[in-house]
Amino acid sequence: MRPRIPRQSAVDHGPDHVEIEGRLTEELASVVAGARRRALRDGDRQIDTAHLLHTLLEYDPGARAVFDGSQVARLLGYLVQRSIGYGLRWQIGVEDAGVVPGVPGTPGWSPVAARAMNQAYDRAVRRGEGRTRGVDLLAVLVSAAGSRAVEVLGKVGIDVGAVAGWITECGVGGGGGR
């Protein structure tokens, strides 16, 4: 059963928000709700890929299993530092790496995070499923060059190419950590 989480008005929720979130497993819906809470608590205007990565690691065992224990610890440590103030420079801009100028975005989401959510859904559809899983989103996040999630992974010394390769090799939800 999906937990009832009150909608928070500080982040705009347009029709694209409903479309994105209606295609998620319960676990990934919890991740998105956590990312929204984190963005609001951090004073960010939008959910970005670092918010999604942070909550994936906290809420989704399948996504967390892609990393070994020391990688998870380093990632969470860095992300916590970001959330208590070291990410202030991210609050002044929009995460928009590789986005086509002039294309309307999804309210409440950075352009890169919205695109990642849609690509994760496309990945699930190619697999023959109608719901997006956390590992679908993680696969897209690690391949989003220039995103905040990729920046975070690089800052803690994680090779995103190796992670992407491992996800592909093992398949979505495939076996334990590396």
Side-chain angles (χ1 to χ4, degrees):
M1 177 198 254
R2 186 177 286 181
R4 301 228 12 71
I5 299 169
R7 295 285 183 213
Q8 296 144 336
S9 60
V11 177
D12 185 20
H13 302 295
D16 291 329
H17 157 80
V18 173
E19 181 180 326
I20 287 172
E21 294 190 36
R23 306 181 301 202
L24 308 176
T25 61
E26 288 184 28
E27 293 80 12
L28 194 51
S30 294
V31 166
V32 170
R36 180 175 297 108
R37 285 189 304 272
R38 184 169 305 286
L40 288 169
R41 186 175 52 240
D42 292 352
D44 296 333
R45 296 179 316 205
Q46 300 176 322
I47 297 170
D48 67 25
T49 59
H51 295 122
L52 291 170
L53 177 63
H54 196 160
T55 55
L56 266 175
L57 293 170
E58 290 178 330
Y59 293 106
D60 191 287
R64 194 171 41 251
V66 170
F67 303 98
D68 67 34
S70 66
Q71 290 174 320
V72 171
R74 287 193 320 265
L75 279 166
L76 288 174
Y78 185 85
L79 287 161
V80 166
Q81 287 179 352
R82 174 197 185 251
S83 71
I84 60 173
Y86 294 112
L88 290 176
R89 67 182 175 83
W90 284 343
Q91 289 179 352
I92 60 173
V94 173
E95 178 187 38
D96 62 359
V99 175
V100 178
V103 174
T106 302
W109 294 79
S110 77
V112 180
R115 185 176 62 216
M117 293 300 296
N118 286 316
Q119 289 173 341
Y121 175 72
D122 293 344
R123 191 173 191 276
V125 168
R126 284 191 304 273
R127 195 179 58 255
E129 295 187 23
R131 299 269 182 216
T132 309
R133 295 189 206 167
V135 179
D136 293 316
L137 180 56
L138 181 61
V140 172
L141 291 177
V142 300
S143 65
S147 72
R148 292 176 180 170
V150 167
E151 180 182 338
V152 166
L153 291 161
K155 291 279 187 189
V156 298
I158 294 175
D159 179 349
V160 293
V163 172
W166 188 85
I167 292 170
T168 300
E169 179 182 312
C170 294
V172 172
R178 300 174 326 112

